[in-house]
Amino acid sequence: MSTTATNDSRRDQLALLGGPGTVKAAAPENWQHGPNEIGKEEIAACTAALRAKVLFRFGRDAENSTVTQFERLFAKKTNVSHVLAVNSGTSALICALIGVGVSQGDEVIVPAYTYIATAAAVLALGAIPVLAEIDESLTIDPRDIERKITSRTKAIIPVHMRGVTCDMDSIMKVARQHGLKVVEDCAQANGALYRGEPVGSIGDVGAFSLQHFKIITSGEGGAITTKDRTIFGRAAVYHDAAYAFWMEGKAAPDAIEEWKAMCFLGENYRQSELHGALALAQLGKRDRILDRTRSIKRKLWAACEAIPGARMEASNDREGDCGISLAFLMPTSPQAVQVYDALRAEGAFAGTIFSKQIPNRHIYYHWDYIMGKRTPHTNGFPWSVGGKETNVKYTADMCPRTIDLLERTVVMPITQIMTDSYVDDVVAAIVKVARLL
Ligand SMILES: *Cc1c(COP(=O)(O)O)cnc(C)c1O
């Protein structure tokens, strides 16, 4: 306790201990990114799509299709040759996994901290998710990936969580050494850069989500990004039951021949023209959103560094991360709780990822159907095939390092609509907590 906090200087006391709160400016009402930007551009784009009265992407020529326009702009921004728009992040992951040739019974390594959909997409193909620990960046630990590789491993899904990039150099090295494919899950990191390269252009393929809670949104939606023509072709063929047929006259004849030759079972993960219109309008706003969130994160980061005992998230690229949240680790879980309680009492928004009360479906042991090995198949597939059980097991304590790190983490969400005065007040709150706690 600071010696300056005397009875007659209550002003200089933590709000947690009865002092006045620091944050006076209004907090954002809604912490989302894309939805806060919906304005005249989105309304005009959707209205134009409705006026055209063709909501089927293959019902329009390529030049007029909003979905095609989105794909072209997204390819340019992501520095890849191929983009396929789909109807969700989950379907993007499924198509990406099909693209790299993941098959039934293959093992795919996923982080123990990610949204449940990452592991669910693996299961949807009849492949088996194998969990790896995270490191102090709160993204997958490349050293643990190496420990989890077996003769059945086919691919790795590094997930750029909370806009923070994974250690892609180490992950690509491990993957190349073992002949594994890399599917980047970029659902939470649209626009992030790793050493100057856009995420989604580093692994074999990237999967993005345009769902409501992501950085830009079309309500629901997604996309895959790749530089590999065959991966794209396989994903495209799978995403539409008649892809080569619809593309007749819309792509180069040799590409159509290639898709016809590889043609296999397809489903329907198409994006509609209305979603394409929204996605395209939002994509035009993405980099401005990120400029703002990154600049706010730099300010909060500098203040948080002064909190005694705090260890800032081990960022793999501080310039390139999206800046949509900030995390730091305290030495113990009670200390993390104390810091976020103190910040909240000052009026700053902070929390922990870990909560015993709220089952956070980003933490593996809350993935109930995976822990319980439940799929729609009544015969135990894919963990059991032909009556034979696989060796893959799941227990609540199987990733102790992930639990330890998440228990000690304090997170502060960041949105582009935080005003300068709100940011200044939050910085003042952090400075006060750092000095007095
Ligand atoms: C949101 C999310 C997904 C799934 O995206 P949907 O569009 O909701 O299907 C996958 N992975 C991560 C890390 C996500 O945050």
Side-chain angles (χ1 to χ4, degrees):
M1 195 64 26
S2 167
T3 50
T4 57
T6 59
N7 283 342
D8 45 33
S9 65
R10 207 183 68 89
R11 272 176 52 87
D12 203 32
Q13 222 176 47
L14 288 172
L16 190 64
L17 303 175
T22 315
V23 180
K24 301 283 183 252
E29 268 174 37
N30 159 351
W31 289 77
Q32 283 131 36
H33 302 96
N36 268 318
E37 298 295 326
I38 294 174
K40 59 180 191 309
E41 295 81 6
E42 284 81 354
I43 291 165
C46 289
T47 306
L50 289 172
R51 290 221 165 92
K53 296 193 178 180
V54 182
L55 298 179
F56 176 43
R57 69 166 298 183
F58 298 125
R60 305 188 79 180
D61 58 59
E63 302 314 311
N64 286 322
S65 161
T66 60
V67 178
T68 308
Q69 287 167 18
F70 167 76
E71 289 172 340
R72 287 178 182 167
L73 183 60
F74 202 49
K76 204 165 140 215
K77 282 180 168 290
T78 313
N79 190 24
V80 293
S81 46
H82 296 83
V83 169
L84 177 72
V86 292
N87 60 1
S88 76
T90 305
S91 47
L93 282 165
I94 291 171
C95 292
L97 289 164
I98 294 271
V100 298
V102 168
S103 300
Q104 181 179 319
D106 288 341
E107 290 177 8
V108 177
I109 299 175
V110 304
Y113 171 53
T114 176
Y115 183 54
I116 188 169
T118 312
V122 174
L123 276 174
L125 297 185
I128 298 173
V130 170
L131 310 191
E133 298 268 23
I134 57 169
D135 61 22
E136 290 197 359
S137 67
L138 309 184
T139 65
I140 196 164
D141 181 351
R143 287 162 307 174
D144 203 46
I145 292 176
E146 245 180 323
R147 287 183 214 114
K148 300 292 162 67
I149 294 172
T150 72
S151 59
R152 290 164 169 264
T153 311
K154 176 80 188 193
I156 308 165
I157 310 185
V159 185
H160 306 294
M161 284 297 281
R162 312 176 301 108
V164 174
T165 56
C166 300
D167 177 358
M168 290 307 293
D169 281 351
S170 305
I171 293 167
M172 293 311 290
K173 205 167 136 209
V174 174
R176 295 304 174 237
Q177 271 167 4
H178 296 269
L180 305 176
K181 298 294 182 188
V182 175
V183 175
E184 291 177 72
D185 183 335
C186 310
Q188 299 190 9
N190 200 331
L193 299 172
Y194 173 78
R195 310 213 159 150
E197 306 282 334
V199 298
S201 72
I202 304 157
D204 295 284
V205 57
F208 291 78
S209 168
L210 298 168
Q211 187 265 346
H212 181 78
F213 294 124
K214 314 300 173 172
I215 295 168
I216 56 168
T217 182
S218 59
E220 300 285 357
I224 72 157
T225 54
T226 183
K227 295 174 175 169
D228 186 302
R229 185 180 167 117
T230 306
I231 292 174
F232 171 81
R234 288 180 57 88
V237 162
Y238 191 71
H239 112 290
D240 182 294
Y243 184 70
F245 169 79
W246 294 121
M247 289 303 284
E248 204 79 64
K250 291 191 168 74
D254 61 326
I256 293 174
E257 281 317 306
E258 204 175 311
W259 299 326
K260 279 186 178 158
M262 70 167 59
C263 184
F264 46 72
L265 161 81
E267 297 197 42
N268 174 8
Y269 292 133
R270 285 188 306 265
Q271 192 171 92
S272 85
E273 285 291 293
L274 203 45
H275 292 87
L278 254 177
L280 184 61
Q282 288 257 299
L283 185 54
K285 301 181 174 183
R286 186 192 71 183
D287 298 339
R288 186 177 44 71
I289 296 175
L290 298 182
D291 281 348
R292 177 72 184 153
T293 52
R294 283 172 176 147
S295 109
I296 296 171
K297 182 163 178 174
R298 282 193 288 274
K299 287 185 187 154
L300 299 186
W301 181 294
C304 287
E305 274 182 322
I307 296 173
R311 206 176 147 105
M312 303 309 290
E313 62 189 26
S315 180
N316 291 305
D317 188 328
R318 276 188 63 189
E319 301 300 309
D321 99 46
C322 294
I324 55 166
S325 77
L326 173 141
F328 56 88
L329 295 157
M330 293 302 292
T332 67
S333 178
Q335 281 170 293
V337 172
Q338 193 186 26
V339 170
Y340 88 68
D341 276 347
L343 287 170
R344 277 192 183 171
E346 299 299 333
F349 197 73
T352 59
I353 292 166
F354 177 83
S355 164
K356 284 207 170 68
Q357 285 75 41
I358 310 155
N360 181 329
R361 283 161 83 85
H362 295 82
I363 307 175
Y364 73 98
Y365 58 77
H366 290 307
W367 300 346
D368 41 10
Y369 55 81
I370 291 168
M371 291 291 120
K373 292 191 170 178
R374 291 193 300 275
T375 68
H377 307 284
T378 51
N379 60 1
F381 178 82
W383 289 287
S384 159
V385 179
K388 259 190 81 188
E389 281 291 316
T390 60
N391 290 327
V392 180
K393 300 210 164 39
Y394 306 94
T395 57
D397 59 0
M398 68 189 292
C399 292
R401 176 143 171 81
T402 297
I403 296 175
D404 170 61
L405 289 168
L406 296 180
E407 272 181 346
R408 295 190 285 117
T409 299
V410 177
V411 275
M412 304 187 78
I414 296 168
T415 164
Q416 78 279 8
I417 64 155
M418 291 161 90
T419 60
D420 284 341
S421 49
Y422 179 74
V423 174
D424 290 346
D425 283 2
V426 172
V427 166
I430 298 166
V431 168
K432 183 178 168 194
V433 167
R435 189 165 52 85
L436 295 178
L437 192 68

